[in-house]
Amino acid sequence: MSGAAISFVTGSGALEHNNREFVHDNVDPNRIKDNINYKEESLKDAYENCFSEAVEKYNQKQTRNDRKIKSYMKQIKESGNNEKLFYENVIQVGDKYSHGFGSGNEQQAIDILDKYARDFQERNPNLYVFNMKMHLDEASPHLHIDYIPVATGYKRGLDTRNSLTKAHQNMGISKGTGRNNNSTMKWQEREKEYLKEIAKDYKLEIIDKKTDRKHLTVDEYKIYAEQIEKQYDKYMNKSIKFKPSKIPFLNKVFLENKDYEQLANNAKYNSVTEKTVSKYTKKLEGKEVELSLLADRLKKRGRELKDKDKAFDIKFQEVKKIKNKYEFLYEDQLNINEKVDFLQEQIKELEVENSKIEPLQDKADNLASVLTNQMKAINLLVHDKEDYAIGLNKRQINLINALDSYTQSWLEQVGEKDLATEVNEKIGISKGVQENIDHFKKIERSQNRGPSLGGR
């Protein structure tokens, strides 16, 4: 069973590019017709399908027009909470060398991606797919999936919303514990495992690119080896076979020590050849005619060897430069790794500090709830005409309205938007307030009864 890595990354969400409304230079126009269109729905229609019912239900409960949602899509777009209108993932099996067009394995990648694409929506019911394309007009087959998270189960406000984390939870993926272990990472791991299972059905083993692929693939070796051998054979009669390796971040290669030594030995071979020519020249002394003919041939051969040595030296110097550059990049990578380790330690420290903040957040949430219940009860004095409303003067009413507005503003500032909405839309007595009312009623009844009459 052959092996290849998979690429599962976050896309930029360029729908015009995905739908080929404009074409980049890396696209073969003659193969655009081969692309597979699984779904193409406008973003506006997708939002209508996902949220129109919830928005209508929410608006029916509102008594004020300025509280109604006119466009949920616009509300998400203009939100200050870094919410995204939609998300995109780009999935690829192998790379352009192992499964690109012309590799002979492209159909294997297409079949695996096609199976994954057709099962995606059923497997992820809370990720509404509105645009999905498989591109077959670039170097390698790859899949673009654009979706809107549709989260349900909210008790306040809209009962259905755009929330990726909540949508993951609806699909059984637990909430993350931090930046390095969030629900998106958990979901991606689940999807990769599913891809691995599909790949097995097509005789392909999915390997971890970070740990399993320490060297180039066989196909990559062949490509680079053929290129270098063609250039090398132009200058040397003796065939040398070696395996070059690709330099990270550069379109160049470097040689392993054994290959480097092999090339150096071949240079020595040229030097030995020149010495051999000189030896035969001495033996031919006295044979003027033959020597003259042989001398002409040797001169020609010497010029050829000199040209070859010169060309070889140029290539040899290029290899040395590449090797030096690789060593520099390797040192640079080590420095980057040290910085990453340092940042990871800082993250751990921040997580510890965050754990200290959580109890304070709980207290703040309780305070916000208490303030909300108090304000809802105070509003009874103005709005409950049957039981609690009293003949307040205008200054008293203005004071209550000001307290109401101030409370809403404060709740919104601390992130309690749902409680702010509740203060604006509802009046009433909470359980805690009612318990205190009952307590004071009990005291009042006791005082009204007065002292009991004693007797025998």
Side-chain angles (χ1 to χ4, degrees), residues 119-168:
D119 293 346
F120 184 89
Q121 186 65 89
E122 182 179 357
R123 195 174 59 260
N124 297 282
N126 292 85
L127 304 180
Y128 181 83
V129 177
F130 69 95
N131 207 84
M132 185 189 295
K133 302 291 176 71
M134 189 191 299
H135 286 166
L136 305 177
D137 53 6
E138 297 180 45
S140 303
H142 57 277
L143 192 65
H144 289 264
I145 303 178
D146 299 281
Y147 54 85
I148 303 168
V150 180
T152 59
Y154 293 94
K155 296 181 179 180
R156 297 171 180 164
L158 282 177
D159 58 13
T160 304
R161 305 180 191 176
N162 174 339
S163 172
L164 186 59
T165 301
K166 183 71 171 178
H168 286 158

Side-chain angles (χ1 to χ4, degrees), residues 46 48-49 92 108 128 156 169 191 212 296 303 316 410 443 450:
E48 184 71 16
N49 289 332
Q92 179 173 316
Q108 185 183 50
Y128 181 83
R156 297 171 180 164
Q169 293 176 12
E191 293 300 291
D212 296 336
D296 289 339
R303 287 193 298 269
F316 185 74
W410 183 83
I443 293 175

Side-chain angles (χ1 to χ4, degrees), residues 41-62:
E41 179 183 6
S42 72
L43 187 58
K44 182 179 179 180
D45 289 344
Y47 263 77
E48 184 71 16
N49 289 332
C50 292
F51 305 110
S52 61
E53 184 176 342
V55 170
E56 182 178 358
K57 182 179 178 182
Y58 171 82
N59 286 342
Q60 287 176 352
K61 297 179 180 179
Q62 306 305 310

Side-chain angles (χ1 to χ4, degrees), residues 268-316:
K268 293 178 182 179
Y269 166 80
N270 287 338
S271 177
V272 171
T273 301
E274 288 185 353
K275 292 179 180 180
T276 302
V277 171
S278 177
K279 178 181 177 181
Y280 279 107
T281 302
K282 291 180 181 180
K283 288 185 178 181
L284 291 173
E285 289 180 355
K287 297 183 180 181
E288 297 181 0
V289 176
E290 294 179 11
L291 180 59
S292 178
L293 294 173
L294 182 58
D296 289 339
R297 290 198 299 269
L298 291 176
K299 287 180 181 179
K300 182 179 179 181
R301 176 62 174 166
R303 287 193 298 269
E304 291 174 353
L305 289 174
K306 188 175 181 180
D307 291 341
K308 290 177 181 178
D309 286 341
K310 184 178 180 180
F312 173 77
D313 185 64
I314 293 173
K315 295 296 179 182
F316 185 74

